[in-house]
C-alpha cells in the first residue's frame, strides 16, 4: 500500500477520478457530496485523533489556555496581538508580548481543517455565518501551509505564530500547544484520554450512521477538538486481488493495528465502533 498525505481534499478528488483505490479523511463524506461526485463508498472510522492550537512565542514557556472566543477571534482576525485582553484574562502571570499574531492555516483541502472549522462553527456564531466549516474555507487572515507538516514547519520557523495541527505533529516536532476550554468550562489538554472522553457519547449514535461530529461535546474531561479519521473505500472493487488485499488490510487494521495506534498518539476505536466496522467490510464486493 502506497499512502501519500496529500490532504483529504486531493484524496477525495482522486478517489472520484478513479486514480487511487481508496482515500482517507477526518471529514466523513455526507450524502450530498457523494451524489455530486457520483461516489459509492463505505466509510470506516479507523482511529481517534485530536487537533491542537500550536504556537511559537519567544520567551513564553507557560502552557497557554485558549477559550473558544480567543481561538475564533484569532482566526477571524479580530484578536491580532498576543496581549489581547481575551488571551490575557485566562493566562494570569504569563508575560504575553504586545506582538502581532501570525495566523497559520492549511493551504490544501484537509480533514484537519474540517475538524478545526467544525469546532469554530459550533462555538462562534460569527465564524459559522462568515466562514463555516469545510475541508477548505475562505480564511479571513493568515498564511497557508501544505499538510500538517507544512503548518508545523511555518509555526516552528515564525516567531509569534499560531497554527492548528494534529496532536501527533505537535508532539513529534516538540511544539508548544495550548489547553482549550471545553463546553463544561474546563481547560483541557489534548491527550489519548481526553480524546476518548470526546468520543464517549458517539458510539450509540454511530449504530445508525458512522458519520458523526464529536467536536465540542459535553463531558467535563473531554478535549473539544477531536474527530475520527475515516478510510473511504469504494463499495465495488472489480479487481479481485485488490479487493482481497483491501479487505485483509481492514481486518488487520481493526484487530492487530488497533494495538499500535496509541504509540502514535491516536486513540483506539471504541469496541462497539470496531464491531460496526467489521460488519461493514462485507459491503465491499
Amino acid at each position: 500500500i502506497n499512502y501519500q498525505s496529500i490532504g483529504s481534499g486531493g484524496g477525495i478528488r482522486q478517489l472520484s477520478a478513479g486514480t487511487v483505490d481508496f482515500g482517507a479523511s477526518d471529514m466523513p463524506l455526507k450524502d450530498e457530496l457523494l451524489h455530486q461526485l457520483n461516489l459509492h463508498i463505505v466509510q470506516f472510522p479507523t482511529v481517534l485523533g485530536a487537533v491542537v492550537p500550536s504556537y511559537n512565542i519567544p520567551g513564553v514557556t507557560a502552557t497557554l489556555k485558549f477559550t473558544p472566543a480567543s481561538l475564533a477571534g484569532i482566526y477571524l482576525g479580530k484578536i491580532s496581538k498576543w496581549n489581547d485582553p481575551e488571551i490575557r484574562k485566562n493566562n494570569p502571570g504569563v508575560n504575553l508580548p504586545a506582538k502581532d499574531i501570525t495566523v497559520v492555516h492549511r493551504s490544501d483541502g484537509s480533514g484537519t481543517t474540517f475538524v478545526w472549522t467544525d469546532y469554530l462553527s459550533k462555538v462562534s456564531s460569527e465564524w459559522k455565518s462568515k466562514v463555516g466549516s469545510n475541508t477548505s474555507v475562505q480564511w479571513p487572515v493568515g498564511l497557508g501551509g501544505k499538510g500538517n507538516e507544512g503548518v508545523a514547519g511555518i509555526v516552528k520557523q515564525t516567531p509569534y505564530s499560531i497554527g492548528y495541527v494534529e496532536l501527533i505533529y505537535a508532539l513529534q516536532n516538540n511544539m508548544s500547544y495550548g489547553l482549550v476550554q471545553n463546553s463544561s468550562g474546563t481547560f483541557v489538554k489534548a491527550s489519548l484520554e481526553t480524546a476518548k472522553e470526546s468520543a464517549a457519547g458517539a458510539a450509540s449514535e454511530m449504530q445508525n450512521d458512522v458519520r458523526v461530529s464529536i467536536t465540542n461535546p459535553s463531558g467535563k474531561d473531554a478535549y473539544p477538538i477531536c474527530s475520527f479519521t475515516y478510510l473511504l473505500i469504494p463499495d465495488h472493487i472489480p479487481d479481485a486481488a485488490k479487493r482481497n488485499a483491501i479487505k485483509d488490510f481492514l481486518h488487520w487494521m481493526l484487530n492487530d493495528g488497533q494495538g499500535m495506534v496509541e504509540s502514535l498518539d491516536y486513540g483506539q476505536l471504541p469496541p462497539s465502533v470496531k464491531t460496526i466496522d467489521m460488519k461493514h467490510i462485507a459491503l465491499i464486493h
Side-chain angles (χ1 to χ4, degrees):
I1 291 173
N2 171 8
Y3 179 83
Q4 297 173 356
S5 60
I6 64 167
S8 52
I12 292 162
R13 280 193 299 277
Q14 290 199 17
L15 191 60
S16 178
T19 53
V20 296
D21 295 303
F22 67 89
S25 177
D26 288 350
M27 181 185 79
L29 305 193
K30 298 296 186 191
D31 292 342
E32 186 186 348
L33 183 60
L34 293 171
H35 291 318
Q36 192 182 317
L37 297 173
N38 195 26
L39 270 178
H40 301 277
I41 59 170
V42 188
Q43 304 188 50
F44 291 88
T46 56
V47 294
L48 188 59
V51 179
V52 297
S54 183
Y55 54 87
N56 173 357
I57 311 173
V60 172
T61 54
T63 300
L64 294 186
K65 294 176 176 176
F66 293 99
T67 59
S70 62
L71 291 176
I74 288 167
Y75 272 80
L76 283 164
K78 298 179 86 169
I79 293 176
S80 58
K81 294 203 182 290
W82 278 111
N83 66 342
D84 186 277
E86 179 61 38
I87 304 174
R88 236 182 24 238
K89 76 178 183 188
N90 298 295
N91 294 281
V94 180
N95 186 19
L96 289 160
K99 295 282 188 180
D100 288 341
I101 300 172
T102 299
V103 178
V104 187
H105 55 73
R106 290 283 287 269
S107 59
D108 52 333
S110 112
T112 312
T113 292
F114 169 74
V115 176
W116 186 254
T117 57
D118 181 55
Y119 167 72
L120 291 179
S121 293
K122 287 184 184 178
V123 298
S124 163
S125 56
E126 185 177 358
W127 182 274
K128 185 176 182 178
S129 64
K130 287 187 175 174
V131 185
S133 62
N134 212 324
T135 52
S136 301
V137 294
Q138 286 292 113
W139 295 100
V141 290
L143 306 172
K146 190 169 184 343
N148 274 287
E149 55 273 29
V151 172
I154 294 173
V155 172
K156 280 197 86 166
Q157 292 160 19
T158 310
Y160 310 108
S161 61
I162 185 171
Y164 59 90
V165 291
E166 282 193 50
L167 174 61
I168 188 173
Y169 285 86
L171 294 169
Q172 283 181 343
N173 291 284
N174 199 25
M175 297 166 74
S176 300
Y177 62 95
L179 278 62
V180 180
Q181 188 181 40
N182 67 15
S183 62
S184 301
T186 313
F187 286 95
V188 181
K189 185 172 187 177
S191 68
L192 296 181
E193 289 68 35
T194 58
K196 284 178 191 168
E197 288 291 327
S198 294
S204 59
E205 193 186 336
M206 293 174 87
Q207 297 295 334
N208 301 320
D209 192 337
V210 295
R211 300 172 296 179
V212 296
S213 164
I214 56 170
T215 55
N216 203 41
S218 58
K220 185 173 68 70
D221 300 317
Y223 179 72
I225 317 177
C226 292
S227 74
F228 290 102
T229 288
Y230 293 82
L231 283 188
L232 313 172
I233 315 260
D235 66 359
H236 179 53
I237 303 172
D239 183 321
K242 274 187 181 173
R243 181 171 65 245
N244 292 336
I246 287 173
K247 284 185 157 189
D248 286 348
F249 174 64
L250 287 168
H251 276 287
W252 173 85
M253 176 198 79
L254 291 167
N255 293 289
D256 297 357
Q258 286 295 305
M260 301 177 182
V261 300
E262 297 200 347
S263 63
L264 298 167
D265 297 295
Y266 290 95
Q268 292 190 40
L269 292 175
S272 57
V273 178
K274 180 180 148 180
T275 303
I276 295 166
D277 271 351
M278 291 295 286
K279 286 181 188 164
H280 285 174
I281 295 174
L283 299 174
I284 299 167
H285 59 279

